[in-house]
Amino acid sequence: MRFTFSGRPALLIIRRMDVPSPAVQQPVPLSVQRRVRGLVFITVFLDLVGFGLIIPLLPFYVESMGGTATTAGVLLALFSSAQLVATPLLGRLSDRVGRRPVILLSLLGNAVSMALFAYATHVHLLPVLFTSRLLAGATAGNLAACQAAVADVTDPESRAAGLGRVGAGIGLGMVLGPVIGSQLHAWWGEWAPPTAAAVLAAAAMLGVFFLFPETHPDHGPAKARGTPGRKKVRLAVALAQPGIAPMLALFFLTFVGMTNLQVSLGLLAQARFAWSEREVGRLFALMGLMTFVLQAFAIGWLTRKIRGFTLVLAGATLMGAGLACIAAASHPAMLVVAMVLVGTGMGMLQPVLASLASALAGPDLQGGVLGIAQSAGGLARVVGPVWSGFLYSAVAPGAPFVSGVVASVLSLLVAGALRHRFPEARPPPVPAKA
């Protein structure tokens, strides 16, 4: 099962919605399943393309409005903070009123926030830009609702493949978005990427409004299956389970390291190599491509052949090596190598960490533990951008990435201790993306 990318990724926070099988089920017609999965893929793809259009360029926008790397870090942290608070609320709202209204609300909020973003580039006012990202974070619930919609209409045997379709839309969106965004910026100026993102969100909203069926068990075609429930797990209960506290630390350390890329990579590439938004966008697309390819074609085989914590050690090593390359980069080629390493490491870490947390929690606690684990990642996306921006502005352009290397080393120590404690631990097989 695939993450959580910020998100809206990278910033992006994706909450996994584990829906236990109800006692009595009647299968949803295959035609409805195909329709929902196809529309979910298109909706998520358009949303993540729009997200990818602006995220690699965000530090440049902040800089053009008089801000610094620290300002960019605070802006990203504001988005993640709003998302961290809003996502569980929107999840509960989707349980109450249905998936379709929440998806529509989230896409509307995204379209309006991107329109505000475009306006901010016209008037060059940071408060307008901050307002747009706050609104985007507060309405960032469509990815989780899309995951829940797929779970509503699929049985346990086909659910992984259905959720893999969501992951495929995320991956493709994050590959194409940065490339398209950097090209639009080069051709038509700084207003073009957020305007295109607003148009894509509006198009997705219209598609959902006219074509998307309600899937919630109490409102739509899954009604006959019964209403599934989710067991709530207290933090103290989760931490009492063997291995769970170190797993939460791994989630936090992994995403703290990742936030450095969103805040400081573009600014470092500009400062050292005079790169423009176009080259930075291509770097992010390369990272997304590596993550997508590994998760689509290799991760299932890897989880069947290699012990879980060995995969975590490999992923953390690759990620740390990539961040070290960025910190020490004296030639543009080092940034290219770095993104290949980081993209491969993240593609390995994200699904394997979630699967290991699920395995250690056991069937009775896995839903709650995964929710807490995603919250640990969300907290990292609040703390990490501010820390990264501070290090870039106050110490040196390479300092945030040295900090990321330290986080990767700590991850290696934690994962090594867990491998020694649970030598036979393997993640449940992670299916290739459908």
Side-chain angles (χ1 to χ4, degrees):
M1 168 61 205
R2 172 161 171 146
F3 29 120
T4 135
F5 7 119
S6 159
R8 299 177 193 270
L11 271 191
L12 176 63
I13 301 172
I14 300 177
R15 303 230 176 227
R16 171 174 172 164
M17 291 195 168
D18 286 285
V19 183
S21 302
V24 178
Q25 281 192 16
Q26 294 181 8
V28 175
L30 186 60
S31 61
V32 175
Q33 292 188 41
R34 288 174 175 169
R35 181 181 176 190
V36 169
R37 286 187 293 186
L39 288 169
V40 161
F41 174 83
I42 294 171
T43 301
V44 169
F45 173 72
L46 291 176
D47 190 47
L48 267 295
V49 167
F51 181 74
L53 286 173
I54 59 105
I55 285 303
L57 309 178
L58 196 60
F60 297 112
Y61 284 117
V62 171
E63 199 174 52
S64 72
M65 298 178 195
T68 65
T70 302
T71 311
V74 172
L75 181 63
L76 289 169
L78 178 69
F79 172 90
S80 296
S81 299
Q83 190 180 43
L84 188 64
V85 173
T87 298
L89 298 177
L90 290 171
R92 287 196 287 271
L93 182 64
S94 77
D95 289 336
R96 183 179 303 171
V97 304
R99 316 302 185 199
R100 186 171 175 271
V102 171
I103 295 173
L104 286 170
L105 174 65
S106 296
L107 291 171
L108 175 62
N110 190 21
V112 173
S113 72
M114 289 301 180
L116 273 176
F117 194 127
Y119 179 69
T121 67
H122 176 68
V123 297
H124 285 84
L125 289 177
L126 276 173
V128 179
L129 185 62
F130 270 76
T131 301
S132 76
R133 302 315 296 154
L134 179 63
L135 175 61
T139 56
N142 58 311
L143 293 177
C146 283
Q147 287 180 309
V150 171
D152 288 337
V153 300
T154 53
D155 55 33
E157 288 74 24
S158 61
R159 189 164 298 153
L163 291 172
R165 184 72 61 88
V166 180
I170 292 168
L172 286 177
M174 287 305 295
V175 171
L176 295 178
V179 175
I180 296 171
S182 59
Q183 287 296 131
L184 290 175
H185 190 282
W187 290 339
W188 288 303
E190 58 187 9
W191 62 272
T195 301
V199 171
L200 289 174
M205 182 178 66
L206 290 174
V208 170
F209 182 81
F210 287 108
L211 301 174
F212 200 92
E214 178 55 63
T215 63
H216 189 278
D218 287 342
H219 300 282
K223 185 172 182 178
R225 303 169 69 206
T227 303
R230 190 191 306 177
K231 185 174 181 177
K232 294 183 178 179
V233 179
R234 290 188 175 186
L235 179 61
V237 174
L239 293 177
Q241 302 300 308
I244 294 301
M247 286 301 303
L248 297 182
L250 284 174
F251 271 84
F252 181 85
L253 291 168
T254 297
F255 287 103
V256 159
M258 274 298 296
T259 57
N260 294 305
L261 299 174
Q262 298 152 5
V263 178
S264 303
L265 177 61
L267 298 176
L268 179 144
Q270 184 185 58
R272 289 188 182 174
F273 308 118
W275 276 14
S276 67
E277 293 84 353
R278 180 182 299 183
E279 288 82 12
V280 172
R282 289 171 179 171
L283 277 182
F284 276 90
L286 175 62
M287 181 182 71
L289 178 64
M290 296 307 301
T291 299
F292 173 73
V293 168
L294 189 134
Q295 292 186 344
F297 303 110
I299 194 66
W301 181 85
L302 288 172
T303 55
R304 290 191 296 272
K305 298 293 184 181
I306 303 174
R307 288 186 301 172
F309 289 113
T310 301
L311 290 174
V312 174
L313 289 169
T317 299
L318 289 169
M319 187 170 167
L323 293 172
C325 279
I326 297 173
S330 57
H331 189 278
M334 293 182 70
L335 293 184
V336 176
V337 172
M339 298 311 274
V340 171
L341 293 172
V342 171
T344 304
M346 282 305 296
M348 194 177 296
L349 284 170
Q350 288 169 336
V352 171
L353 286 177
S355 295
L356 282 171
S358 174
L360 291 176
D364 293 335
L365 298 177
Q366 65 180 2
V369 166
L370 282 167
I372 294 170
Q374 298 299 341
S375 295
L379 180 62
R381 283 182 285 259
V382 173
V383 175
V386 179
W387 176 241
S388 179
F390 168 76
L391 289 176
Y392 186 96
S393 298
V395 182
F401 304 100
V402 174
S403 172
V405 173
V406 172
S408 295
V409 171
L410 292 175
S411 296
L412 287 171
L413 295 175
V414 174
L418 284 170
R419 186 176 69 163
H420 179 73
R421 186 176 181 185
F422 303 99
E424 300 302 321
R426 289 181 181 270
V430 181
K433 299 290 178 278

